Amino acid sequence: MKAHDGMYTDGAWRAPAGREVIEVVNPADEQVIGAVPAGTAEDVDAAVRGARAAFPGWAATPPAARAERVAALRDALAARRDEIAETVTAELGAPLRLSQPVHADLPITVAGTYAKLAAEYPFEERVGNSTVYQEPVGVVAAITPWNYPLHQIVAKVAPALAAGCTVVLKPAEDTPLVAQLFAEAVDAAGLPAGVFNLVTGRGPVAGQALAEHEGVDLVSFTGSTAVGRRIGALAGGAVKRVALELGGKSANVILPGADLARAVNVGVANVFANSGQTCSAWTRMLVHAADYDEAVGLAATAAKKYPPGDPRDPATRLGPLVSAVQRDRVRGYIERGVAEGARLVAGGPEAPEGLTRGYWVAPTVFADVTPGMTIAQEEIFGPVLAVLRYEDEEEALRIANGTVYGLGGAVWAADEAAAVAFARRMDTGQVDINGGRFNPLAPFGGYKQSGVGRELGTHGLAEYLQPKSLQF
Ligand code: NAP
Ligand code: MG
């Protein structure tokens, strides 16, 4: 798609306040594929004013009419499904075989869930002698990352619109093209002017100005824990609502008696999908001592099925990382793992063979990882799996819960009840039991430092509502 040179505010594409642009780079070949304006505080202010002005009218629009517009937005996205996939493949580097079913179809599904929920949700309830109204929070600042760029936009904007909020979006600077495509879909869906606004730009400039703008009532942020912490502090200081979707270091716990080959193969696929750039990825595989050597062998063999290559090739399963910064960061972690004594059984810090241009990292598996190592504690955000050994279930639980994070996870066991019992003791927001698949209606969000609040389904909608009680 062709990049816009303006911001989408108050229902139209408008010239930015400044002249600076952000070049968009294809991470597979380092070619510049477009440029978008680098927004300033002035652009943010104009967008927030537009959103404020549109708020009373949108908040007063009946839920069924809001539902119709969200359904139209879903349809506008669905009509451009292939273009969405190609855009995400070009600016993020995700293989097309992932971009189509995940980067395009998942957000289309999520938009559809909110069209339905907007129509069905109980926005008014009787409680004793009270009527409780669920009213929209107001103007929402949505700040999103690049790793699932359209999904993360839709997971905030669709429920916000369904709730009756108006929105200003600041997408990641690495993936602004799919955000512009999303604004075009909003425009095509016939939402009233000012209900949705897009300001492209850099985090410390446009993002910061948006998070601290006094015209914003709720900041919904997805990204790093470092930036999330600052946004949480800013919002707290201003007594604004805040939702934070941060990092993870999720555990894939394989209990004795589980189908080892399946648990390891699904686990490896989970970590290497999207080049490991998934906040809920199962980056720590926990295996019982009796199964450990076999699991390491299976993981090393599985890694060979992910040769990095051209993301546009339908056979490719592993693309590049999003940027040179991320590639260098991930390779740094691999070097750190080696230095701290972990054993490389696949991959390593060197560029994969034959790939000189682009931001590549070899699919990497570490064995003999111990819980205190940096690669067992910090979010790497690359195709790097750490396999850890445990002697009994209590130790497995200690290791699983032994990080500052708690976003996703998995448990595999011969007996489903045993897996559930273990999962209930894990300090984390989601656990997939014996390969249970992703549910776009289930609440998604973090325990501990993985975040505050939940996205998706009714829990995601409730984030954008505030109750008002009238007594009779
Ligand atoms: P990030 O800096 O936290 O970026 C997330 C979003 O916040 C982007 O839109 C970013 O803009 C914006 N931002 C940055 N600084 C800001 C500030 N001071 N005020 C307001 N907004 C600001 O994350 P990143 O640098 O892209 O990635 C770094 C690491 O974060 C990754 O390696 C990974 O560990 C983690 N991460 C986690 C997730 C997740 O889903 N939980 C997603 C992405 C990254 P710019 O794009 O202009 O920086
Ligand atoms: Mg890029």
Side-chain angles (χ1 to χ4, degrees), residues 289-350:
D291 299 325
Y292 190 80
D293 292 338
E294 191 184 348
V296 166
L298 286 164
T301 303
K304 294 199 179 76
K305 291 186 279 183
Y306 296 82
D310 183 353
R312 288 164 310 176
D313 180 339
T316 297
R317 296 169 121 194
L318 188 69
L321 295 220
V322 69
S323 63
V325 171
Q326 287 300 111
R327 174 200 58 199
D328 296 346
R329 196 169 170 272
V330 172
R331 286 193 188 165
Y333 274 115
I334 298 173
E335 282 163 1
R336 188 89 180 258
V338 173
E340 291 182 9
R343 174 164 59 97
L344 271 176
V345 295
E350 303 82 20

Coordinates of all heavy atoms in Angstrom, one line a residue, residues 289-350:
A289 N 13.8 -34.4 34.8 CA 15.1 -34.9 34.6 C 15.1 -36.2 33.7 O 16.0 -36.4 32.9 CB 15.8 -35.2 35.9
A290 N 14.1 -37.1 34.0 CA 14.1 -38.4 33.3 C 13.9 -38.2 31.8 O 14.2 -39.1 31.0 CB 13.0 -39.3 33.9
D291 N 13.2 -37.2 31.4 CA 12.9 -36.9 29.9 C 13.8 -35.9 29.3 O 13.7 -35.6 28.1 CB 11.5 -36.4 29.8 CG 10.4 -37.4 30.3 OD1 10.6 -38.6 30.2 OD2 9.4 -36.9 30.9
Y292 N 14.7 -35.3 30.1 CA 15.5 -34.2 29.7 C 16.3 -34.3 28.4 O 16.1 -33.6 27.5 CB 16.3 -33.6 30.8 CG 16.9 -32.3 30.5 CD1 16.1 -31.1 30.7 CD2 18.2 -32.1 30.0 CE1 16.6 -29.9 30.4 CE2 18.7 -30.8 29.7 CZ 17.9 -29.7 29.9 OH 18.4 -28.5 29.6
D293 N 17.1 -35.4 28.4 CA 18.0 -35.5 27.2 C 17.2 -35.8 25.9 O 17.5 -35.2 24.9 CB 19.0 -36.7 27.4 CG 20.0 -36.3 28.5 OD1 20.2 -35.1 28.8 OD2 20.6 -37.2 29.2
E294 N 16.1 -36.6 26.1 CA 15.3 -36.8 24.9 C 14.6 -35.5 24.4 O 14.6 -35.2 23.2 CB 14.2 -37.9 25.3 CG 13.5 -38.4 24.0 CD 12.3 -39.3 24.4 OE1 12.2 -39.8 25.6 OE2 11.5 -39.6 23.5
A295 N 14.1 -34.7 25.3 CA 13.5 -33.4 25.0 C 14.5 -32.5 24.3 O 14.1 -31.8 23.3 CB 12.9 -32.8 26.2
V296 N 15.7 -32.4 24.8 CA 16.7 -31.6 24.2 C 17.0 -32.0 22.8 O 17.1 -31.2 21.8 CB 18.0 -31.5 25.0 CG1 19.2 -30.9 24.3 CG2 17.8 -30.8 26.4
G297 N 17.1 -33.3 22.6 CA 17.3 -33.9 21.2 C 16.2 -33.5 20.3 O 16.4 -33.1 19.1
L298 N 15.0 -33.7 20.8 CA 13.8 -33.4 20.0 C 13.7 -31.9 19.6 O 13.4 -31.5 18.5 CB 12.5 -33.7 20.7 CG 12.1 -35.2 20.9 CD1 11.1 -35.4 22.0 CD2 11.6 -35.8 19.5
A299 N 14.1 -31.0 20.5 CA 14.1 -29.6 20.3 C 15.1 -29.2 19.3 O 14.9 -28.4 18.4 CB 14.2 -28.8 21.6
A300 N 16.3 -29.8 19.4 CA 17.4 -29.5 18.4 C 17.0 -29.9 17.0 O 17.3 -29.2 16.0 CB 18.7 -30.1 18.9
T301 N 16.4 -31.1 16.9 CA 15.9 -31.6 15.6 C 14.8 -30.6 15.1 O 14.8 -30.3 13.9 CB 15.4 -33.0 15.8 OG1 16.4 -33.8 16.3 CG2 14.9 -33.6 14.4
A302 N 13.9 -30.3 15.9 CA 12.8 -29.4 15.5 C 13.3 -28.1 15.0 O 12.7 -27.5 14.0 CB 11.8 -29.2 16.6
A303 N 14.3 -27.5 15.6 CA 14.8 -26.2 15.2 C 15.3 -26.2 13.7 O 15.3 -25.2 13.0 CB 16.0 -25.8 16.1
K304 N 15.7 -27.4 13.2 CA 16.2 -27.5 11.8 C 15.1 -27.3 10.9 O 15.3 -27.0 9.7 CB 16.8 -28.9 11.6 CG 18.1 -29.1 12.4 CD 18.9 -30.3 11.8 CE 20.2 -30.5 12.5 NZ 19.9 -31.2 13.8
K305 N 13.8 -27.4 11.3 CA 12.7 -27.2 10.4 C 12.3 -25.7 10.3 O 11.3 -25.4 9.6 CB 11.4 -28.0 11.0 CG 11.6 -29.5 10.9 CD 10.3 -30.2 11.3 CE 10.2 -30.3 12.8 NZ 9.1 -31.1 13.3
Y306 N 13.1 -24.8 10.8 CA 12.9 -23.4 10.7 C 14.0 -22.6 10.1 O 14.5 -21.7 10.7 CB 12.6 -22.8 12.1 CG 11.3 -23.4 12.7 CD1 11.4 -24.7 13.4 CD2 10.1 -22.8 12.6 CE1 10.2 -25.3 13.9 CE2 8.9 -23.3 13.2 CZ 9.0 -24.6 13.8 OH 7.9 -25.1 14.3
P307 N 14.4 -23.0 8.9 CA 15.5 -22.3 8.2 C 15.0 -20.9 7.9 O 13.9 -20.7 7.3 CB 15.8 -23.1 7.0 CG 14.6 -23.8 6.7 CD 13.9 -24.1 8.0
P308 N 15.7 -19.8 8.3 CA 15.3 -18.5 8.0 C 15.3 -18.2 6.5 O 16.2 -18.8 5.8 CB 16.3 -17.6 8.7 CG 17.1 -18.5 9.6 CD 17.0 -19.8 9.1
G309 N 14.3 -17.5 6.0 CA 14.3 -17.2 4.6 C 13.3 -16.1 4.2 O 12.6 -15.5 5.1
D310 N 13.1 -15.9 2.9 CA 12.3 -14.8 2.4 C 10.8 -15.0 2.9 O 10.2 -16.0 2.7 CB 12.3 -15.0 0.8 CG 11.4 -13.8 0.2 OD1 10.8 -13.1 0.9 OD2 11.5 -13.8 -1.1
P311 N 10.4 -14.0 3.6 CA 9.0 -14.0 4.2 C 7.9 -14.1 3.2 O 6.8 -14.6 3.5 CB 8.9 -12.7 5.0 CG 10.2 -12.1 5.0 CD 11.1 -12.7 4.0
R312 N 8.2 -13.7 2.0 CA 7.1 -13.8 0.9 C 7.0 -15.2 0.3 O 6.0 -15.5 -0.3 CB 7.4 -12.8 -0.2 CG 7.2 -11.3 0.3 CD 7.8 -10.4 -0.7 NE 9.2 -10.8 -0.9 CZ 10.0 -10.2 -1.7 NH1 9.6 -9.2 -2.5 NH2 11.3 -10.6 -1.9
D313 N 8.0 -16.0 0.6 CA 7.9 -17.4 0.1 C 7.0 -18.2 1.0 O 7.1 -18.2 2.2 CB 9.4 -18.0 0.2 CG 9.4 -19.5 -0.3 OD1 8.3 -20.1 -0.3 OD2 10.5 -19.9 -0.6
P314 N 5.9 -18.8 0.4 CA 4.9 -19.5 1.2 C 5.4 -20.6 2.0 O 4.8 -21.1 2.9 CB 3.9 -20.0 0.1 CG 4.5 -19.8 -1.2 CD 5.6 -18.8 -1.1
A315 N 6.7 -21.1 1.7 CA 7.2 -22.2 2.5 C 7.9 -21.7 3.7 O 8.2 -22.5 4.6 CB 8.2 -23.0 1.6
T316 N 8.3 -20.4 3.8 CA 9.1 -19.9 4.9 C 8.3 -19.9 6.2 O 7.2 -19.4 6.3 CB 9.6 -18.5 4.5 OG1 10.4 -18.6 3.4 CG2 10.4 -17.9 5.7
R317 N 9.0 -20.4 7.3 CA 8.4 -20.4 8.6 C 9.1 -19.4 9.5 O 8.5 -19.0 10.5 CB 8.5 -21.8 9.2 CG 7.8 -22.8 8.5 CD 8.2 -24.2 9.0 NE 7.1 -24.9 9.6 CZ 7.2 -26.0 10.3 NH1 8.3 -26.4 10.7 NH2 6.1 -26.6 10.8
L318 N 10.3 -19.0 9.2 CA 11.0 -18.0 10.1 C 11.5 -16.9 9.3 O 12.4 -17.0 8.4 CB 12.2 -18.8 10.8 CG 12.9 -18.0 11.9 CD1 12.0 -17.8 13.1 CD2 14.2 -18.7 12.3
G319 N 11.1 -15.7 9.6 CA 11.5 -14.4 8.9 C 12.6 -13.8 9.8 O 13.1 -14.3 10.7
P320 N 13.0 -12.5 9.4 CA 13.9 -11.8 10.1 C 13.3 -11.2 11.4 O 12.1 -11.3 11.6 CB 14.3 -10.7 9.2 CG 13.0 -10.4 8.4 CD 12.4 -11.8 8.2
L321 N 14.1 -10.5 12.2 CA 13.6 -9.7 13.3 C 13.2 -8.3 12.7 O 13.5 -8.0 11.6 CB 14.6 -9.5 14.4 CG 15.1 -10.8 15.2 CD1 15.2 -10.4 16.7 CD2 14.2 -12.0 15.1
V322 N 12.5 -7.6 13.5 CA 11.9 -6.3 13.0 C 12.9 -5.3 12.6 O 12.7 -4.5 11.7 CB 10.8 -5.8 13.9 CG1 11.5 -5.2 15.2 CG2 10.0 -4.7 13.3
S323 N 14.0 -5.2 13.3 CA 15.0 -4.1 13.1 C 16.4 -4.6 13.5 O 16.6 -5.6 14.2 CB 14.6 -2.9 14.0 OG 14.7 -3.3 15.4
A324 N 17.4 -3.7 13.1 CA 18.7 -4.0 13.5 C 18.9 -4.0 15.0 O 19.6 -4.8 15.6 CB 19.7 -3.0 12.8
V325 N 18.2 -3.0 15.6 CA 18.3 -2.9 17.1 C 17.8 -4.2 17.8 O 18.5 -4.7 18.6 CB 17.4 -1.7 17.6 CG1 17.3 -1.7 19.1 CG2 17.9 -0.4 17.1
Q326 N 16.7 -4.8 17.3 CA 16.2 -6.0 17.9 C 17.2 -7.2 17.6 O 17.4 -8.0 18.5 CB 14.8 -6.3 17.4 CG 13.7 -5.4 18.0 CD 13.7 -5.5 19.6 OE1 14.0 -4.5 20.3 NE2 13.2 -6.6 20.1
R327 N 17.6 -7.2 16.4 CA 18.6 -8.3 16.0 C 19.8 -8.3 16.9 O 20.2 -9.3 17.5 CB 19.0 -8.2 14.6 CG 20.1 -9.2 14.2 CD 20.9 -8.7 12.9 NE 21.5 -7.4 13.1 CZ 21.9 -6.6 12.2 NH1 21.8 -7.0 10.9 NH2 22.5 -5.5 12.4
D328 N 20.4 -7.1 17.1 CA 21.6 -7.0 17.9 C 21.3 -7.3 19.4 O 22.1 -7.9 20.1 CB 22.2 -5.6 17.8 CG 22.6 -5.3 16.4 OD1 22.7 -6.3 15.6 OD2 22.8 -4.1 16.0
R329 N 20.1 -6.9 19.9 CA 19.7 -7.2 21.2 C 19.6 -8.7 21.4 O 20.1 -9.2 22.4 CB 18.4 -6.5 21.4 CG 17.9 -6.3 22.8 CD 16.7 -5.4 22.9 NE 16.2 -5.4 24.2 CZ 15.3 -6.3 24.6 NH1 14.8 -7.2 23.8 NH2 14.9 -6.3 25.9
V330 N 19.0 -9.4 20.5 CA 18.8 -10.8 20.6 C 20.1 -11.6 20.5 O 20.4 -12.5 21.3 CB 17.8 -11.3 19.6 CG1 17.7 -12.8 19.6 CG2 16.4 -10.7 19.8
R331 N 20.9 -11.2 19.6 CA 22.3 -11.8 19.5 C 23.1 -11.6 20.8 O 23.8 -12.5 21.2 CB 23.0 -11.3 18.3 CG 22.4 -11.8 16.9 CD 23.4 -11.5 15.8 NE 22.9 -11.8 14.5 CZ 23.4 -11.4 13.4 NH1 24.5 -10.6 13.4 NH2 22.9 -11.7 12.2
G332 N 22.9 -10.4 21.4 CA 23.6 -10.1 22.6 C 23.2 -11.1 23.7 O 24.0 -11.6 24.5
Y333 N 21.9 -11.4 23.8 CA 21.4 -12.4 24.7 C 21.9 -13.8 24.5 O 22.2 -14.5 25.4 CB 19.8 -12.4 24.7 CG 19.2 -11.4 25.6 CD1 18.4 -10.4 25.1 CD2 19.3 -11.5 27.0 CE1 17.8 -9.5 25.9 CE2 18.7 -10.5 27.8 CZ 17.9 -9.5 27.3 OH 17.3 -8.6 28.1
I334 N 22.1 -14.1 23.2 CA 22.6 -15.5 22.9 C 24.1 -15.5 23.4 O 24.5 -16.5 24.0 CB 22.5 -15.8 21.4 CG1 21.0 -15.8 21.0 CG2 23.1 -17.1 21.0 CD1 20.7 -15.9 19.5
E335 N 24.8 -14.5 23.1 CA 26.2 -14.4 23.6 C 26.3 -14.5 25.1 O 27.1 -15.2 25.7 CB 26.9 -13.1 23.1 CG 27.3 -13.2 21.7 CD 27.6 -11.9 21.0 OE1 27.5 -10.9 21.7 OE2 27.9 -11.9 19.8
R336 N 25.3 -13.9 25.8 CA 25.3 -13.9 27.2 C 25.0 -15.3 27.7 O 25.6 -15.8 28.7 CB 24.2 -12.9 27.6 CG 24.0 -12.6 29.1 CD 24.9 -11.5 29.5 NE 24.7 -11.2 30.9 CZ 24.0 -10.3 31.5 NH1 23.4 -9.4 30.7 NH2 23.9 -10.2 32.8
G337 N 24.1 -16.0 27.0 CA 23.7 -17.4 27.4 C 25.0 -18.3 27.4 O 25.2 -19.1 28.3
V338 N 25.7 -18.1 26.3 CA 27.0 -18.9 26.1 C 27.9 -18.6 27.3 O 28.5 -19.5 27.9 CB 27.6 -18.7 24.8 CG1 29.0 -19.3 24.7 CG2 26.7 -19.2 23.6
A339 N 28.1 -17.3 27.5 CA 29.0 -16.8 28.5 C 28.7 -17.3 29.9 O 29.5 -17.6 30.8 CB 29.1 -15.3 28.5
E340 N 27.4 -17.4 30.2 CA 26.9 -17.9 31.5 C 26.9 -19.4 31.6 O 26.4 -19.9 32.7 CB 25.6 -17.2 31.9 CG 25.7 -15.7 32.1 CD 24.3 -15.1 32.5 OE1 23.4 -15.8 32.7 OE2 24.3 -13.8 32.5
G341 N 27.3 -20.1 30.6 CA 27.4 -21.6 30.7 C 26.3 -22.4 30.2 O 26.3 -23.6 30.3
A342 N 25.3 -21.8 29.5 CA 24.3 -22.6 28.9 C 24.9 -23.3 27.6 O 25.9 -22.8 27.1 CB 23.1 -21.8 28.5
R343 N 24.3 -24.4 27.2 CA 24.9 -25.3 26.1 C 24.0 -25.1 24.9 O 22.8 -25.4 24.9 CB 24.9 -26.7 26.5 CG 25.3 -27.7 25.5 CD 25.6 -29.1 26.1 NE 24.5 -29.6 26.8 CZ 23.7 -30.6 26.4 NH1 23.8 -31.0 25.1 NH2 22.7 -31.1 27.1
L344 N 24.7 -24.5 23.8 CA 24.0 -24.3 22.5 C 23.7 -25.7 21.8 O 24.7 -26.4 21.6 CB 24.8 -23.5 21.6 CG 24.6 -22.0 21.6 CD1 25.7 -21.3 20.7 CD2 23.2 -21.5 21.3
V345 N 22.5 -26.0 21.5 CA 22.3 -27.3 20.7 C 21.7 -27.0 19.4 O 21.5 -27.9 18.5 CB 21.4 -28.3 21.5 CG1 22.0 -28.8 22.7 CG2 20.0 -27.7 21.8
A346 N 21.4 -25.7 19.1 CA 21.0 -25.3 17.8 C 21.2 -23.8 17.7 O 21.1 -23.1 18.7 CB 19.5 -25.6 17.5
G347 N 21.6 -23.3 16.5 CA 21.7 -21.8 16.3 C 22.9 -21.3 17.0 O 23.9 -22.0 17.2
G348 N 22.8 -20.0 17.3 CA 24.0 -19.3 17.9 C 23.9 -17.8 17.5 O 23.0 -17.4 16.8
P349 N 24.9 -17.1 18.0 CA 24.9 -15.6 17.8 C 25.2 -15.2 16.3 O 25.0 -14.0 16.0 CB 25.9 -15.1 18.8 CG 26.8 -16.2 19.0 CD 26.0 -17.5 18.8
E350 N 25.8 -16.1 15.5 CA 26.2 -15.6 14.2 C 25.0 -15.5 13.3 O 24.0 -16.2 13.5 CB 27.2 -16.7 13.6 CG 28.5 -16.9 14.4 CD 28.3 -17.9 15.5 OE1 27.3 -18.7 15.5 OE2 29.1 -17.9 16.5

